[in-house]
Amino acid sequence: MTGTAEILRVDRRTVGLWSVLELTGELDVAGLPALQQRVEEVCAAGGRPRLVLDMSAVSFMDSCGLGGLVRCWKRVTGMEGRFVLVGVRPRVARVLEITGMHRAFEIHGGLEEFAGS
């Protein structure tokens, strides 16, 4: 964690058929409500959600943040949707690797790389 708390900002935009949530800051207990609210908005739109979390500006993620990601992933996939992470930085990637969640999540290098797949 950084010296000063950096509240998570979650901006939403649409790219083709995908909802993209751009996360900026620290993904921890303080930031989870903002993330979960945006994921619920995407899921409430109806149909099978197609959600990309752009994590290229996430500077830190703790176990609470990981738990929140797992809940969001379960929510989207429970609706037969697709949940994708892009731009995962090394510090956050390490948390995913230690916990084995890198095998559960669909992860791409960046939004441009993902859009091309």
Side-chain angles (χ1 to χ4, degrees), residues 87-106:
V88 178
R89 294 165 76 175
R91 190 171 181 183
V92 173
R94 183 73 179 130
V95 173
L96 297 175
E97 289 168 12
I98 288 170
T99 60
M101 290 307 298
H102 68 290
R103 290 187 296 269
F105 294 136
E106 181 178 347

Side-chain angles (χ1 to χ4, degrees), residues 56-69:
S56 58
V58 173
S59 56
F60 171 82
M61 180 176 74
D62 65 7
S63 60
C64 291
L66 177 60
L69 276 186

Side-chain angles (χ1 to χ4, degrees), residues 17 22 25 29 31 33 50 55 72 76 79 82 85 90 95-96 99 105 110 112 116:
L17 298 174
E22 296 173 338
V29 70
R50 294 175 180 226
M55 301 192 52
C72 293
V76 170
M79 296 179 67
R82 193 161 160 207
L85 303 178
V95 173
L96 297 175
T99 60
F105 294 136
E112 300 78 22

Side-chain angles (χ1 to χ4, degrees), residues 33-46:
L35 174 59
Q36 291 171 331
Q37 177 184 352
R38 291 296 193 163
V39 170
E40 284 304 316
E41 289 171 5
V42 170
C43 291

